[in-house]
Amino acid sequence: SAAVAAKVFQALEAAGKPAAICCLGLAAADRPAPSPRLTFVDTLEDAAQAAAALRRGLPFRPRPFTVDLEEAELLAAGQAHRLRGHQTAVRGIFAGGTLAHEALLILGALAGPVASNLKQPDLKPDAVEGHAVWDLGADEFTRGRPHPMLDGTLRREFLRREADDPAVGVILLDVVLGHGAHADPAGDILPGIRAAKAAAERKRQGLVFVGSVCGTAKDPQDLHAQCEKLEDVGVVLMPSNAQAARLAALIATRGAAMPRLRAVC
């Protein structure tokens, strides 16, 4: 809501302290005029980086990847080489709405139109063509069942379903750690990843998994162990959800998204 956002901006301006602001999906026209106190960014990662820079009194410049663009381009090309020509779609299978929304915006800017239940709650998986992002934590998927941060059953089903679509080349996913989440969220979805990879192999085509783990070393699930489990089954892990979404776009478009990436970043 632009009206609600405006009230937040006014309160931050009146507070007299520097602020880093990420309003996912808010149109540029709905942002206030430039202010020395308010720093606007487009991703959650950039909000954290900008806040740290402001705290230290340093300038902030967003970077699309932690590594150089050329290195990211080589990584994407290496993964894209595993895919067949008709595998051009990215499917995001997310446990919650915030990271799904961020991925939706990034993919839409870099890879073209993206279908999503975030935009169309009654969207059916069988009706999707091309790119799609699913928020499996939405009301339509959690009625009568545990949230996917607690139970990966639905995510495993979606992983297998999306792998059956011959157009899908990249599956994008998140793993969220912390209290109130599954004790082993990576391990909970591993059977779905393995089943999806096996389905792709039976069709003699590749399938690339790109993901990120949202957590810290002090989370009860053990950040390092969670990352290790995913990497052991071939998931390409990026330092943030935003970077994972950008890499997925580069892989699916065979690098054609790079000019757009340079323009928006």
Side-chain angles (χ1 to χ4, degrees):
S1 167
V4 173
K7 294 179 180 180
V8 173
F9 302 153
Q10 290 169 6
L12 288 170
E13 187 71 55
K17 297 183 179 182
I21 306 168
C22 173
C23 290
L24 293 173
L26 185 71
D30 292 323
R31 294 179 179 181
S35 160
R37 291 198 183 97
L38 307 185
T39 299
F40 286 90
V41 296
D42 296 321
T43 70
L44 305 171
E45 178 181 26
D46 284 349
Q49 298 280 11
L54 288 169
R55 174 64 182 83
R56 298 172 65 190
L58 299 174
F60 168 71
R61 275 189 289 178
R63 295 178 60 189
F65 293 104
T66 305
V67 297
D68 293 336
L69 277 179
E70 291 73 16
E71 188 173 340
E73 194 168 19
L74 285 173
L75 174 59
Q79 294 297 325
H81 186 69
R82 301 168 51 197
L83 305 178
R84 299 175 69 177
H86 60 271
Q87 293 183 270
T88 59
V90 178
R91 298 288 164 81
I93 305 175
F94 285 83
T98 303
L99 296 178
H101 190 185
E102 181 181 57
L104 171 66
L105 295 170
I106 292 171
L107 284 175
L110 298 179
V114 183
S116 178
N117 65 311
L118 286 162
K119 300 187 292 186
Q120 186 181 343
D122 60 349
L123 183 67
K124 305 299 181 186
D126 294 340
V128 170
E129 296 181 358
H131 308 305
V133 168
W134 297 101
D135 166 21
L136 299 187
D139 289 348
E140 59 267 24
F141 289 120
T142 53
R143 292 190 185 97
R145 69 164 74 222
H147 191 280
M149 280 183 60
L150 297 170
D151 182 349
T153 301
L154 185 60
R155 290 237 279 178
R156 294 193 297 268
E157 293 173 4
F158 262 75
L159 284 164
R160 291 189 288 267
R161 177 186 291 115
E162 297 293 28
D164 284 335
D165 187 334
V168 174
V170 184
I171 291 181
L172 177 64
L173 49 85
D174 64 333
V175 170
V176 182
L177 312 184
H179 297 286
H182 192 283
D184 180 15
D188 195 30
I189 61 172
L190 286 186
I193 295 174
R194 292 192 181 103
K197 291 172 74 73
E201 288 172 4
R202 287 194 295 270
K203 296 178 181 179
R204 297 182 179 179
Q205 61 184 37
L207 186 62
V208 179
F209 287 83
V210 180
S212 65
V213 179
C214 180
T216 75
K218 293 187 178 181
D219 280 316
Q221 295 89 349
D222 188 339
L223 175 64
H224 176 74
Q226 292 291 297
C227 292
E228 197 170 56
K229 287 183 179 184
L230 295 168
E231 290 175 331
D232 283 348
V233 294
V235 178
V236 181
L237 286 183
M238 300 299 287
S240 70
N241 180 61
Q243 293 190 47
R246 293 181 188 119
L247 182 67
L250 286 179
I251 295 170
T253 63
R254 311 307 194 263
M258 183 56 78
R260 294 182 188 178
L261 181 61
R262 294 180 186 277
V264 299
C265 292

